[in-house]
Amino acid sequence: MSPDAHSEYALNLQAEIERMLAADIVVLAAQSFVALFPGLYLGKQLGSGKIRKWLRQEFGKPRWTEGNTYAFDALTSEIELIYERARLASRQPSGQLMLLPRGVQLLAAPDPVAALREYL
């Protein structure tokens, strides 16, 4: 990659990270939940790495050798904490997220963001 291309890539990635960090975390949690959990039934598990992958799809695809990708890890953890706080999913010792009854209700909600705000 040429120095100019690398510089442009770094600027674009930084702009996407800033946009991601400025987003309403409850909106991101609701959007990621309804994007990732459909098709799962009560008690089934989902790999927590899928949240990170969803964030990368929404906010750019960083090279994992770059230090500023830690923002994706931090936001993934924050979203998992929101899932747990709202009792949508529970983190298992394996790192998987288990779908809980409220999570099933959120998937059926006409406005998942509003429903998640109520659960919190």
Side-chain angles (χ1 to χ4, degrees), residues 33-35 37-40 99 102-109 112:
F33 194 85
V34 298
F37 279 86
L40 264 63
L99 184 62
R102 274 190 170 181
V104 174
Q105 293 171 351
L106 184 79
L107 290 172

mmCIF file with all atom_site columns, all heavy atoms in Angstrom, residues 33-35 37-40 99 102-109 112:
data_model
loop_
_atom_site.group_PDB
_atom_site.id
_atom_site.type_symbol
_atom_site.label_atom_id
_atom_site.label_alt_id
_atom_site.label_comp_id
_atom_site.label_asym_id
_atom_site.label_entity_id
_atom_site.label_seq_id
_atom_site.pdbx_PDB_ins_code
_atom_site.Cartn_x
_atom_site.Cartn_y
_atom_site.Cartn_z
_atom_site.occupancy
_atom_site.B_iso_or_equiv
_atom_site.pdbx_formal_charge
_atom_site.auth_seq_id
_atom_site.auth_comp_id
_atom_site.auth_asym_id
_atom_site.auth_atom_id
_atom_site.pdbx_PDB_model_num
ATOM 1   N N   . PHE A 1 33  ? -28.647 -6.542  18.227 1.00 0.00 ? 33  PHE A N   1
ATOM 2   C CA  . PHE A 1 33  ? -29.394 -7.675  18.762 1.00 0.00 ? 33  PHE A CA  1
ATOM 3   C C   . PHE A 1 33  ? -30.372 -8.219  17.726 1.00 0.00 ? 33  PHE A C   1
ATOM 4   O O   . PHE A 1 33  ? -30.405 -9.426  17.477 1.00 0.00 ? 33  PHE A O   1
ATOM 5   C CB  . PHE A 1 33  ? -30.137 -7.274  20.041 1.00 0.00 ? 33  PHE A CB  1
ATOM 6   C CG  . PHE A 1 33  ? -30.639 -8.448  20.814 1.00 0.00 ? 33  PHE A CG  1
ATOM 7   C CD1 . PHE A 1 33  ? -29.814 -9.109  21.711 1.00 0.00 ? 33  PHE A CD1 1
ATOM 8   C CD2 . PHE A 1 33  ? -31.929 -8.919  20.639 1.00 0.00 ? 33  PHE A CD2 1
ATOM 9   C CE1 . PHE A 1 33  ? -30.259 -10.216 22.412 1.00 0.00 ? 33  PHE A CE1 1
ATOM 10  C CE2 . PHE A 1 33  ? -32.391 -10.027 21.332 1.00 0.00 ? 33  PHE A CE2 1
ATOM 11  C CZ  . PHE A 1 33  ? -31.550 -10.677 22.235 1.00 0.00 ? 33  PHE A CZ  1
ATOM 12  N N   . VAL A 1 34  ? -31.157 -7.330  17.107 1.00 0.00 ? 34  VAL A N   1
ATOM 13  C CA  . VAL A 1 34  ? -32.140 -7.813  16.127 1.00 0.00 ? 34  VAL A CA  1
ATOM 14  C C   . VAL A 1 34  ? -31.470 -8.300  14.846 1.00 0.00 ? 34  VAL A C   1
ATOM 15  O O   . VAL A 1 34  ? -32.045 -9.117  14.123 1.00 0.00 ? 34  VAL A O   1
ATOM 16  C CB  . VAL A 1 34  ? -33.246 -6.769  15.812 1.00 0.00 ? 34  VAL A CB  1
ATOM 17  C CG1 . VAL A 1 34  ? -34.042 -6.431  17.054 1.00 0.00 ? 34  VAL A CG1 1
ATOM 18  C CG2 . VAL A 1 34  ? -32.682 -5.526  15.181 1.00 0.00 ? 34  VAL A CG2 1
ATOM 19  N N   . ALA A 1 35  ? -30.253 -7.859  14.573 1.00 0.00 ? 35  ALA A N   1
ATOM 20  C CA  . ALA A 1 35  ? -29.528 -8.343  13.398 1.00 0.00 ? 35  ALA A CA  1
ATOM 21  C C   . ALA A 1 35  ? -28.907 -9.718  13.644 1.00 0.00 ? 35  ALA A C   1
ATOM 22  O O   . ALA A 1 35  ? -28.791 -10.518 12.713 1.00 0.00 ? 35  ALA A O   1
ATOM 23  C CB  . ALA A 1 35  ? -28.435 -7.349  13.007 1.00 0.00 ? 35  ALA A CB  1
ATOM 24  N N   . PHE A 1 37  ? -29.625 -12.093 16.473 1.00 0.00 ? 37  PHE A N   1
ATOM 25  C CA  . PHE A 1 37  ? -30.319 -13.159 17.195 1.00 0.00 ? 37  PHE A CA  1
ATOM 26  C C   . PHE A 1 37  ? -31.530 -13.774 16.489 1.00 0.00 ? 37  PHE A C   1
ATOM 27  O O   . PHE A 1 37  ? -32.032 -14.785 16.963 1.00 0.00 ? 37  PHE A O   1
ATOM 28  C CB  . PHE A 1 37  ? -30.738 -12.660 18.584 1.00 0.00 ? 37  PHE A CB  1
ATOM 29  C CG  . PHE A 1 37  ? -29.609 -12.709 19.584 1.00 0.00 ? 37  PHE A CG  1
ATOM 30  C CD1 . PHE A 1 37  ? -28.715 -11.662 19.680 1.00 0.00 ? 37  PHE A CD1 1
ATOM 31  C CD2 . PHE A 1 37  ? -29.443 -13.797 20.426 1.00 0.00 ? 37  PHE A CD2 1
ATOM 32  C CE1 . PHE A 1 37  ? -27.674 -11.690 20.595 1.00 0.00 ? 37  PHE A CE1 1
ATOM 33  C CE2 . PHE A 1 37  ? -28.401 -13.841 21.347 1.00 0.00 ? 37  PHE A CE2 1
ATOM 34  C CZ  . PHE A 1 37  ? -27.519 -12.790 21.437 1.00 0.00 ? 37  PHE A CZ  1
ATOM 35  N N   . PRO A 1 38  ? -32.039 -13.228 15.386 1.00 0.00 ? 38  PRO A N   1
ATOM 36  C CA  . PRO A 1 38  ? -33.183 -13.901 14.746 1.00 0.00 ? 38  PRO A CA  1
ATOM 37  C C   . PRO A 1 38  ? -32.836 -15.338 14.373 1.00 0.00 ? 38  PRO A C   1
ATOM 38  O O   . PRO A 1 38  ? -31.709 -15.636 13.982 1.00 0.00 ? 38  PRO A O   1
ATOM 39  C CB  . PRO A 1 38  ? -33.446 -13.087 13.481 1.00 0.00 ? 38  PRO A CB  1
ATOM 40  C CG  . PRO A 1 38  ? -32.880 -11.762 13.760 1.00 0.00 ? 38  PRO A CG  1
ATOM 41  C CD  . PRO A 1 38  ? -31.688 -12.012 14.657 1.00 0.00 ? 38  PRO A CD  1
ATOM 42  N N   . GLY A 1 39  ? -33.831 -16.200 14.520 1.00 0.00 ? 39  GLY A N   1
ATOM 43  C CA  . GLY A 1 39  ? -33.607 -17.608 14.190 1.00 0.00 ? 39  GLY A CA  1
ATOM 44  C C   . GLY A 1 39  ? -33.116 -18.418 15.375 1.00 0.00 ? 39  GLY A C   1
ATOM 45  O O   . GLY A 1 39  ? -33.158 -19.640 15.347 1.00 0.00 ? 39  GLY A O   1
ATOM 46  N N   . LEU A 1 40  ? -32.664 -17.749 16.426 1.00 0.00 ? 40  LEU A N   1
ATOM 47  C CA  . LEU A 1 40  ? -32.268 -18.461 17.634 1.00 0.00 ? 40  LEU A CA  1
ATOM 48  C C   . LEU A 1 40  ? -33.500 -18.589 18.526 1.00 0.00 ? 40  LEU A C   1
ATOM 49  O O   . LEU A 1 40  ? -34.337 -17.701 18.567 1.00 0.00 ? 40  LEU A O   1
ATOM 50  C CB  . LEU A 1 40  ? -31.190 -17.690 18.401 1.00 0.00 ? 40  LEU A CB  1
ATOM 51  C CG  . LEU A 1 40  ? -29.746 -18.106 18.146 1.00 0.00 ? 40  LEU A CG  1
ATOM 52  C CD1 . LEU A 1 40  ? -29.373 -17.866 16.718 1.00 0.00 ? 40  LEU A CD1 1
ATOM 53  C CD2 . LEU A 1 40  ? -28.819 -17.423 19.081 1.00 0.00 ? 40  LEU A CD2 1
ATOM 54  N N   . LEU A 1 99  ? -29.587 -16.709 24.643 1.00 0.00 ? 99  LEU A N   1
ATOM 55  C CA  . LEU A 1 99  ? -30.814 -15.945 24.485 1.00 0.00 ? 99  LEU A CA  1
ATOM 56  C C   . LEU A 1 99  ? -31.750 -16.208 25.657 1.00 0.00 ? 99  LEU A C   1
ATOM 57  O O   . LEU A 1 99  ? -32.048 -17.363 25.996 1.00 0.00 ? 99  LEU A O   1
ATOM 58  C CB  . LEU A 1 99  ? -31.494 -16.313 23.167 1.00 0.00 ? 99  LEU A CB  1
ATOM 59  C CG  . LEU A 1 99  ? -32.737 -15.535 22.801 1.00 0.00 ? 99  LEU A CG  1
ATOM 60  C CD1 . LEU A 1 99  ? -32.434 -14.043 22.623 1.00 0.00 ? 99  LEU A CD1 1
ATOM 61  C CD2 . LEU A 1 99  ? -33.358 -16.090 21.517 1.00 0.00 ? 99  LEU A CD2 1
ATOM 62  N N   . ARG A 1 102 ? -36.524 -12.299 27.762 1.00 0.00 ? 102 ARG A N   1
ATOM 63  C CA  . ARG A 1 102 ? -36.683 -10.903 27.326 1.00 0.00 ? 102 ARG A CA  1
ATOM 64  C C   . ARG A 1 102 ? -36.094 -10.666 25.944 1.00 0.00 ? 102 ARG A C   1
ATOM 65  O O   . ARG A 1 102 ? -36.564 -9.814  25.201 1.00 0.00 ? 102 ARG A O   1
ATOM 66  C CB  . ARG A 1 102 ? -36.022 -9.941  28.311 1.00 0.00 ? 102 ARG A CB  1
ATOM 67  C CG  . ARG A 1 102 ? -36.896 -9.546  29.449 1.00 0.00 ? 102 ARG A CG  1
ATOM 68  C CD  . ARG A 1 102 ? -36.214 -8.433  30.189 1.00 0.00 ? 102 ARG A CD  1
ATOM 69  N NE  . ARG A 1 102 ? -37.103 -7.850  31.144 1.00 0.00 ? 102 ARG A NE  1
ATOM 70  C CZ  . ARG A 1 102 ? -36.787 -6.839  31.923 1.00 0.00 ? 102 ARG A CZ  1
ATOM 71  N NH1 . ARG A 1 102 ? -35.582 -6.301  31.843 1.00 0.00 ? 102 ARG A NH1 1
ATOM 72  N NH2 . ARG A 1 102 ? -37.644 -6.353  32.779 1.00 0.00 ? 102 ARG A NH2 1
ATOM 73  N N   . GLY A 1 103 ? -35.061 -11.394 25.610 1.00 0.00 ? 103 GLY A N   1
ATOM 74  C CA  . GLY A 1 103 ? -34.476 -11.285 24.281 1.00 0.00 ? 103 GLY A CA  1
ATOM 75  C C   . GLY A 1 103 ? -35.448 -11.723 23.208 1.00 0.00 ? 103 GLY A C   1
ATOM 76  O O   . GLY A 1 103 ? -35.556 -11.100 22.145 1.00 0.00 ? 103 GLY A O   1
ATOM 77  N N   . VAL A 1 104 ? -36.189 -12.800 23.500 1.00 0.00 ? 104 VAL A N   1
ATOM 78  C CA  . VAL A 1 104 ? -37.220 -13.266 22.560 1.00 0.00 ? 104 VAL A CA  1
ATOM 79  C C   . VAL A 1 104 ? -38.273 -12.178 22.396 1.00 0.00 ? 104 VAL A C   1
ATOM 80  O O   . VAL A 1 104 ? -38.722 -11.890 21.281 1.00 0.00 ? 104 VAL A O   1
ATOM 81  C CB  . VAL A 1 104 ? -37.847 -14.590 23.054 1.00 0.00 ? 104 VAL A CB  1
ATOM 82  C CG1 . VAL A 1 104 ? -39.018 -14.998 22.174 1.00 0.00 ? 104 VAL A CG1 1
ATOM 83  C CG2 . VAL A 1 104 ? -36.785 -15.689 23.103 1.00 0.00 ? 104 VAL A CG2 1
ATOM 84  N N   . GLN A 1 105 ? -38.656 -11.541 23.501 1.00 0.00 ? 105 GLN A N   1
ATOM 85  C CA  . GLN A 1 105 ? -39.647 -10.459 23.439 1.00 0.00 ? 105 GLN A CA  1
ATOM 86  C C   . GLN A 1 105 ? -39.118 -9.276  22.633 1.00 0.00 ? 105 GLN A C   1
ATOM 87  O O   . GLN A 1 105 ? -39.857 -8.677  21.850 1.00 0.00 ? 105 GLN A O   1
ATOM 88  C CB  . GLN A 1 105 ? -40.026 -9.998  24.851 1.00 0.00 ? 105 GLN A CB  1
ATOM 89  C CG  . GLN A 1 105 ? -40.771 -11.032 25.646 1.00 0.00 ? 105 GLN A CG  1
ATOM 90  C CD  . GLN A 1 105 ? -40.934 -10.639 27.112 1.00 0.00 ? 105 GLN A CD  1
ATOM 91  O OE1 . GLN A 1 105 ? -40.358 -9.662  27.580 1.00 0.00 ? 105 GLN A OE1 1
ATOM 92  N NE2 . GLN A 1 105 ? -41.706 -11.423 27.839 1.00 0.00 ? 105 GLN A NE2 1
ATOM 93  N N   . LEU A 1 106 ? -37.850 -8.947  22.822 1.00 0.00 ? 106 LEU A N   1
ATOM 94  C CA  . LEU A 1 106 ? -37.278 -7.824  22.076 1.00 0.00 ? 106 LEU A CA  1
ATOM 95  C C   . LEU A 1 106 ? -37.287 -8.106  20.576 1.00 0.00 ? 106 LEU A C   1
ATOM 96  O O   . LEU A 1 106 ? -37.569 -7.219  19.774 1.00 0.00 ? 106 LEU A O   1
ATOM 97  C CB  . LEU A 1 106 ? -35.846 -7.530  22.536 1.00 0.00 ? 106 LEU A CB  1
ATOM 98  C CG  . LEU A 1 106 ? -35.226 -6.306  21.866 1.00 0.00 ? 106 LEU A CG  1
ATOM 99  C CD1 . LEU A 1 106 ? -35.734 -5.028  22.533 1.00 0.00 ? 106 LEU A CD1 1
ATOM 100 C CD2 . LEU A 1 106 ? -33.734 -6.346  21.898 1.00 0.00 ? 106 LEU A CD2 1
ATOM 101 N N   . LEU A 1 107 ? -37.006 -9.337  20.189 1.00 0.00 ? 107 LEU A N   1
ATOM 102 C CA  . LEU A 1 107 ? -37.013 -9.687  18.771 1.00 0.00 ? 107 LEU A CA  1
ATOM 103 C C   . LEU A 1 107 ? -38.396 -9.504  18.150 1.00 0.00 ? 107 LEU A C   1
ATOM 104 O O   . LEU A 1 107 ? -38.504 -9.215  16.961 1.00 0.00 ? 107 LEU A O   1
ATOM 105 C CB  . LEU A 1 107 ? -36.533 -11.130 18.574 1.00 0.00 ? 107 LEU A CB  1
ATOM 106 C CG  . LEU A 1 107 ? -35.055 -11.373 18.844 1.00 0.00 ? 107 LEU A CG  1
ATOM 107 C CD1 . LEU A 1 107 ? -34.745 -12.861 18.801 1.00 0.00 ? 107 LEU A CD1 1
ATOM 108 C CD2 . LEU A 1 107 ? -34.175 -10.605 17.865 1.00 0.00 ? 107 LEU A CD2 1
ATOM 109 N N   . ALA A 1 108 ? -39.446 -9.658  18.957 1.00 0.00 ? 108 ALA A N   1
ATOM 110 C CA  . ALA A 1 108 ? -40.814 -9.521  18.460 1.00 0.00 ? 108 ALA A CA  1
ATOM 111 C C   . ALA A 1 108 ? -41.350 -8.096  18.593 1.00 0.00 ? 108 ALA A C   1
ATOM 112 O O   . ALA A 1 108 ? -42.429 -7.793  18.095 1.00 0.00 ? 108 ALA A O   1
ATOM 113 C CB  . ALA A 1 108 ? -41.732 -10.488 19.203 1.00 0.00 ? 108 ALA A CB  1
ATOM 114 N N   . ALA A 1 109 ? -40.609 -7.225  19.250 1.00 0.00 ? 109 ALA A N   1
ATOM 115 C CA  . ALA A 1 109 ? -41.081 -5.854  19.510 1.00 0.00 ? 109 ALA A CA  1
ATOM 116 C C   . ALA A 1 109 ? -41.150 -5.046  18.211 1.00 0.00 ? 109 ALA A C   1
ATOM 117 O O   . ALA A 1 109 ? -40.242 -5.122  17.388 1.00 0.00 ? 109 ALA A O   1
ATOM 118 C CB  . ALA A 1 109 ? -40.157 -5.155  20.501 1.00 0.00 ? 109 ALA A CB  1
ATOM 119 N N   . PRO A 1 112 ? -37.701 -2.118  18.575 1.00 0.00 ? 112 PRO A N   1
ATOM 120 C CA  . PRO A 1 112 ? -36.708 -2.717  19.476 1.00 0.00 ? 112 PRO A CA  1
ATOM 121 C C   . PRO A 1 112 ? -35.928 -1.701  20.304 1.00 0.00 ? 112 PRO A C   1
ATOM 122 O O   . PRO A 1 112 ? -35.576 -1.981  21.448 1.00 0.00 ? 112 PRO A O   1
ATOM 123 C CB  . PRO A 1 112 ? -35.782 -3.479  18.526 1.00 0.00 ? 112 PRO A CB  1
ATOM 124 C CG  . PRO A 1 112 ? -36.573 -3.695  17.290 1.00 0.00 ? 112 PRO A CG  1
ATOM 125 C CD  . PRO A 1 112 ? -37.502 -2.530  17.185 1.00 0.00 ? 112 PRO A CD  1
#
